[in-house]
Amino acid sequence: MLFSSISFLYYFLPLTLVFYFAVPPRFRNAVLLLASLLFYGWGEPKYVLLMGLSVLSGYGSGLFLEKYRGGRAGKTGCVISVGISLSFLLYFKYADFFIENFNKVTGAELPLLRLALPVGISFYTFQIISYTVDVYRGEPAQRNPVRLAVYVVMFPQLVAGPIVRYSDLAGQLADREHSWQGAAWGIRRFVTGLAKKILLANQFGELCGAFRASEEKSVLFYWMYAVAFTLQIYFDFSGYSDMAIGLGRVFGFHFLENFNYPYISASITEFWRRWHISLGTWFRDYVYIPLGGNRRGRGRQLMNILLVWMLTGFWHGAAWNYILWGLCFAALLTAEKLWLLERLEKSRLLSRIYTLFFVMAGFVVFHAQNLGQAVSDLAGLAGAGGIPLVSAEAVYCLRSFGVVLAAGGIGATPAVRAFVRKISENAAGKRVLGLMEPVALAALMLVMTAYLVDGSFNPFLYFRF
């Protein structure tokens, strides 16, 4: 089930809210768990059992690790628990990648498994690992299996994050406050995220689709595609995060922010502090620091950065272009750490141009179906292969999508937020905003509903990762 669907917006979510708030507080976790299982099983009922086994494994591991933490048995148990969680992910997401590359290297003809990737497995696997490692490090184990299951499978952030650490949510699973003010804030945040997805990300996706289908490639078209996908993945993923954070607040949960206007960054280092914050934090706390971080000398630190970013790329997908994407960012981050960052600080304008250029080039590699297509797309940006600078189809698409591209460019900066804050600084402006906001949100919902009724299937990009 998708957030951006009629069935979710007008049937599933209202019914879930009715049942959730109708029952006594002690039963609300159970209602949320049942709703989450229905949400997940709506499209993939066969994988509900897999998710249940993952939760049970994490639950049992937590009890064991609390009892034996600090000793050899606890350390061994932690390694085994992480291994079990990763084994599910490796089997479903990476088995065919390893088989295919083994066949290429050895000449063997082992058949591919061709398994469907369970939606959200990359996210809930990391959340289970977060729980077991946190328990091993000293966090009390969760003895209520329903609460742990809610943490892992809660539908607002189940399929595409943000990745929520157990230590940040443990207290809220046991006791959380609900208020009209919090629910209103959550609804505003949800509608904003939905608008990002339907009114912006989906339009950029259409432009990317037109580029791929075109037989009149040009340098202009390649750059339009690079800009469009850079905006699409931002509004798609940050829109989903907004919806997850908003829904979480309606149910009384406070999820941490996942994006902070990454495209205004003045370095790649800053960009990754603003983009997919929960993933970067997870790799820092559960991979980079345990490997030694920066505590064992510069050489070991750079090796840790390389390993973390190779894994970050591989986490996004079982293909070489994802690994290349991660390694490219590892190289840029290493260069900044060694000498480039000091030079970038001398010019904020040039540093922002440098950052946007490499981010866009990186996303071109990221979006490619394979390494060959990634190289071809990068060559197209440089005008290689004798392609023209401009084509008639590129000009037509620029005219068709020019307004939405401009809106996306502005929306990816804090300009709109700053404008709203400026208006609300005085009492009159604040009253006007208070009156206009409900009308604007209702109008947005009507427009988006029309898009959904008239539109086609529009999954979130991160579903595939």
Side-chain angles (χ1 to χ4, degrees):
M1 191 182 297
L2 299 172
F3 288 172
S4 54
S5 67
I6 296 296
S7 57
F8 177 82
L9 292 172
Y10 292 102
Y11 299 101
F12 177 85
L13 183 58
L15 287 173
T16 298
L17 289 172
V18 167
F19 282 107
Y20 180 83
F21 287 105
V23 301
R26 66 180 181 274
F27 296 124
R28 287 177 178 170
N29 278 338
V31 171
L32 192 52
L33 175 59
L34 291 173
S36 298
L37 293 175
L38 177 61
F39 176 89
Y40 190 83
W42 189 274
E44 293 189 324
K46 62 182 178 181
Y47 288 132
V48 172
L49 178 61
L50 172 67
M51 189 165 58
L53 289 174
S54 298
V55 172
L56 287 175
S57 172
Y59 177 73
S61 297
L63 297 177
F64 179 87
L65 292 173
E66 183 182 52
K67 184 176 181 180
Y68 294 103
R69 70 164 67 106
R72 181 177 297 179
K75 186 175 183 178
T76 302
C78 186
V79 171
I80 292 174
S81 174
V82 171
I84 291 172
S85 296
L86 288 177
S87 67
F88 295 133
L89 182 62
L90 289 170
Y91 179 70
F92 283 95
K93 189 171 183 176
Y94 300 104
D96 278 354
F97 173 82
F98 291 121
I99 292 172
E100 184 178 3
N101 283 279
F102 178 80
N103 288 345
K104 288 179 180 179
V105 171
T106 64
E109 297 182 357
L110 297 178
L112 299 179
L113 301 179
R114 303 193 184 282
L115 298 168
L117 180 64
V119 171
I121 190 171
S122 298
F123 290 89
Y124 71 70
T125 295
F126 273 22
Q127 293 202 174
I128 293 172
I129 292 175
S130 163
Y131 167 69
T132 54
V133 173
D134 283 354
V135 171
Y136 175 72
R137 290 173 174 175
E139 188 77 24
Q142 178 56 258
R143 283 171 166 71
N144 186 319
V146 172
R147 290 177 185 171
L148 182 64
V150 168
Y151 160 69
V152 176
V153 309
M154 193 189 317
F155 76 84
Q157 44 78 233
L158 169 64
V159 292
I163 301 170
V164 182
R165 291 181 54 165
Y166 175 76
S167 56
D168 293 330
L169 219 62
Q172 299 175 52
L173 291 166
D175 182 35
R176 53 190 179 273
E177 294 183 0
H178 302 83
S179 67
W180 287 109
Q181 184 180 6
W185 185 93
I187 291 170
R188 290 197 299 269
R189 190 66 180 270
F190 177 85
V191 174
T192 301
L194 188 64
K196 283 184 177 182
K197 166 61 179 170
I198 295 174
L199 302 182
L200 292 174
N202 285 1
Q203 309 310 308
F204 298 130
E206 288 186 16
L207 177 53
C208 292
F211 168 81
R212 284 293 178 215
S214 173
E215 296 182 359
E216 296 183 25
K217 298 291 196 301
S218 63
V219 176
L220 174 62
F221 215 169
Y222 272 103
W223 277 101
M224 285 172 58
Y225 160 70
V227 172
F229 181 72
T230 300
L231 291 172
Q232 181 192 6
I233 195 168
Y234 170 70
F235 285 108
D236 191 282
F237 194 20
S238 71
Y240 185 95
S241 294
D242 287 340
M243 286 184 268
I245 291 168
L247 285 177
R249 184 66 62 88
V250 172
F251 289 105
F253 292 97
H254 293 253
F255 300 151
L256 297 179
E257 294 295 333
N258 208 25
F259 288 86
N260 183 23
Y261 298 106
Y263 293 157
I264 66 170
S265 301
S267 67
I268 299 299
T269 301
E270 182 184 355
F271 175 81
W272 283 108
R273 289 173 182 160
R274 292 174 174 269
W275 177 278
H276 203 345
I277 298 169
S278 63
L279 180 67
T281 303
W282 194 96
F283 271 106
R284 181 197 67 195
D285 293 345
Y286 299 104
V287 180
Y288 179 72
I289 292 177
L291 286 173
N294 59 0
R295 303 188 306 275
R296 300 183 182 180
R298 180 53 62 88
R300 181 63 178 271
Q301 180 189 15
L302 298 181
M303 181 61 65
N304 291 340
I305 292 173
L306 180 68
L307 180 59
V308 164
W309 281 95
M310 183 180 71
L311 292 174
T312 300
F314 203 37
W315 176 86
H316 281 87
W320 285 107
N321 60 298
Y322 293 115
I323 297 175
L324 175 63
W325 174 77
L327 292 175
C328 287
F329 277 112
L332 289 167
L333 290 166
T334 298
E336 289 185 359
K337 192 168 292 292
L338 291 177
W339 59 274
L340 186 56
L341 207 55
E342 294 180 0
R343 290 162 174 79
L344 291 174
E345 292 174 352
K346 295 178 180 179
S347 172
R348 300 292 288 179
L349 176 61
L350 290 178
S351 63
R352 285 188 167 90
I353 293 172
Y354 144 85
T355 303
L356 273 178
F357 173 80
F358 280 108
V359 166
M360 281 197 295
F363 279 137
V364 167
V365 174
F366 183 92
H367 194 227
Q369 296 299 310
N370 50 56
L371 280 178
Q373 189 178 78
V375 172
S376 175
D377 289 344
L378 291 174
L381 293 174
I387 61 173
L389 289 175
V390 181
S391 63
E393 190 170 358
V395 172
Y396 174 79
C397 285
L398 182 58
R399 289 173 177 170
S400 301
F401 292 93
V403 173
V404 74
L405 284 169
I410 295 171
T413 72
V416 175
R417 183 178 67 178
F419 176 73
V420 172
R421 285 182 175 176
K422 185 69 175 178
I423 293 176
S424 62
E425 285 179 356
N426 61 75
K430 195 171 184 179
R431 283 196 299 271
V432 171
L433 287 176
L435 292 172
M436 289 181 58
E437 186 181 60
V439 177
L441 292 176
L444 270 178
M445 284 302 301
L446 285 174
V447 171
M448 291 186 289
T449 300
Y451 268 91
L452 293 176
V453 170
D454 189 51
S456 57
F457 184 62
N458 57 102
F460 292 91
L461 289 174
Y462 263 69
F463 279 15
R464 59 184 280 207
F465 308 128

